[in-house]
Amino acid sequence: MANTTRAPSADPAPDQPSEGYRTLLGLISHEYFHTWNVKRLRPVEFAQHDYGQENYTQLLWFFEGFTSYYDDLLLRRAHLIDDAAYLKLLTKTINQVLQTPGRAVQSVAQASMDAWVKYYRQDENTPNATVSYYTKGSLVALCLDLTLRQEGKTSLDAVMRALWLRCQGGPMTEGDLLAVLQALGGRSFALEIAQWVHGTTDLPLRPLLAAQGVKVLEEPAQLAQRLGLRVTETAGVQIKIVLRGGAAEQAGLAAGDEWLGLEVGPAKSISAWRINKLDDLLLYAANASKVCALVARDKRLLKLPLALPKSITTWRLAARDSQLIGQWLNGS
Ligand SMILES: [Zn+2]
């Protein structure tokens, strides 16, 4: 019998661009925004570029992160996407950051400073040791915007315009941003910048979104996320990344392992199965709380007891109060 239950369609509404076209629009929007924020407003260290060597700054969380915040937001303001599509894009960014254990290790200011030696030289430990100044930087912008709006004095739009005037569309420092936040927001934002930009505690996304009319729902995570793994599946299941603190790490799985199969069942009737893709695990052990992973590492075959956690979730944002959301997304 054919399976007639269908997953929610990934197709956009008829008047919405396809996912690929939306991604292209987001890229164009991002690069266009750079005309102001990077080409003109730029870190003071980049006042005179030296193209003969690496140029270091702590401010990429602002220049790439805030540009990333505005790239999707401007698609919504241009009515190229609707509120639901915008919240879906934001959901994706939030989940990317929440699924990066390195966010508890590295601040976005450090990530910016380390861009030359870490961001552009990624390896199997990158998600455990680093955080992206693009994605987390965009969430810092979101948190600032929502905080400013909820305190009722100003918005990030006004802060960006004032910053442009203060710096005459040229080199700027973190001190310039703090001064503008103080002037327009009516109080010091030094604590927020210290915690969000120079610290590693999680951003207060949930209360800020809730106060802006956005519901935060939690849904069961995909299998790779539940296990704390990143794999490729083009030639069997190849483990590329083992995330810190996950079930795979606790079982002793390692980047470079080939996951060949699994053993499942009570001691008296163990069955062993070959897997070709990660989701095959669900065929043989969907209801099990633990299995034994059979992996090849170099020339050895290993059996690794592995727990299958069920409680790992991902976020999904949904509209609760479209008027509040509209005030934010329309820029009013
Ligand atoms: Zn950029």
Side-chain angles (χ1 to χ4, degrees):
M1 195 174 80
N3 183 356
T4 53
T5 54
R6 292 180 54 183
S9 170
D11 294 338
D15 59 339
Q16 299 281 305
S18 69
E19 193 175 341
Y21 189 56
R22 197 173 57 211
T23 303
L24 176 65
L25 290 173
L27 173 67
I28 293 168
S29 173
H30 181 98
E31 302 306 336
Y32 190 53
F33 198 81
H34 272 329
T35 312
W36 292 273
N37 199 41
V38 157
K39 294 293 282 182
R40 290 288 306 274
L41 265 187
R42 58 190 185 277
V44 71
E45 297 87 348
F46 294 1
Q48 300 294 328
H49 288 99
D50 180 351
Y51 291 108
Q53 62 175 26
E54 297 165 349
N55 294 265
Y56 288 89
T57 175
Q58 284 200 2
L59 281 176
L60 295 182
W61 59 270
F62 178 84
F63 287 99
E64 290 299 354
F66 281 42
T67 301
S68 297
Y69 175 58
Y70 276 104
D71 61 22
D72 289 338
L73 189 56
L74 294 181
L75 297 188
R76 164 59 186 77
R77 288 194 183 160
H79 299 287
L80 290 163
I81 59 173
D82 60 16
D83 290 0
Y86 177 76
L87 291 180
K88 205 169 162 186
L89 291 169
L90 187 55
T91 298
K92 194 173 164 189
T93 304
I94 290 173
N95 281 327
Q96 280 174 348
V97 173
L98 293 180
Q99 291 168 8
T100 303
R103 75 187 192 285
V105 176
Q106 188 187 49
S107 70
V108 277
Q110 290 168 327
S112 170
M113 205 65 183
D114 289 348
W116 288 96
V117 290
K118 297 223 170 122
Y119 191 82
Y120 290 106
R121 292 181 197 169
Q122 303 213 354
D123 60 28
E124 72 277 2
N125 199 42
T126 293
N128 292 326
T130 70
V131 68
S132 164
Y133 48 80
Y134 285 88
T135 48
K136 188 178 170 189
S138 78
L139 299 183
V140 170
L142 169 74
C143 287
L144 267 181
D145 197 11
L146 296 188
T147 302
L148 293 167
R149 286 173 183 281
Q150 285 159 27
E151 292 182 5
K153 291 198 175 64
T154 188
S155 69
L156 193 60
D157 301 344
V159 166
M160 296 300 284
R161 289 188 202 104
L163 200 53
W164 175 270
L165 292 175
R166 178 186 169 91
C167 301
Q168 301 179 323
M172 66 162 266
T173 64
E174 188 178 294
D176 289 315
L177 174 63
L178 282 166
V180 171
L181 285 168
Q182 168 105 43
L184 272 64
R187 68 172 178 88
S188 168
F189 280 75
L191 188 63
E192 280 84 355
I193 296 297
Q195 289 179 342
W196 302 350
V197 171
H198 297 279
T200 55
T201 49
D202 278 337
L203 301 170
L205 293 164
R206 193 186 287 271
L208 286 172
L209 287 165
Q212 200 67 45
V214 179
K215 230 180 340 190
V216 176
L217 306 168
E218 298 207 28
E219 300 182 330
Q222 298 285 313
L223 183 57
Q225 190 55 34
R226 280 170 54 199
L227 296 175
L229 277 178
R230 300 282 182 270
V231 301
T232 60
E233 297 175 319
T234 44
V237 181
Q238 305 287 341
I239 296 177
K240 296 295 171 189
I241 286 167
V242 176
L243 297 174
R244 179 179 296 133
E249 185 194 57
Q250 281 160 22
L253 288 158
D257 286 350
E258 181 183 2
W259 193 343
L260 301 170
L262 67 138
E263 287 184 348
V264 63
K268 286 184 183 157
S269 58
I270 289 175
S271 55
W273 303 93
R274 178 84 166 100
I275 61 169
N276 295 306
K277 55 185 192 307
L278 198 59
D279 277 351
D280 286 350
L281 205 75
L282 299 173
L283 285 176
Y284 308 119
N287 298 318
S289 59
K290 58 187 177 194
V291 298
C292 201
L294 307 174
V295 307
R297 179 177 303 165
D298 296 327
K299 298 194 186 319
R300 312 190 87 187
L301 293 175
L302 306 174
K303 278 191 193 181
L304 303 172
L306 170 71
L308 301 179
K310 294 198 190 302
S311 60
I312 311 277
T313 58
T314 55
W315 283 24
R316 183 167 67 79
L317 305 181
R320 182 182 52 75
D321 184 329
S322 54
Q323 198 180 349
L324 273 177
I325 293 171
Q327 285 168 7
W328 158 42
L329 296 184
N330 289 321
S332 53

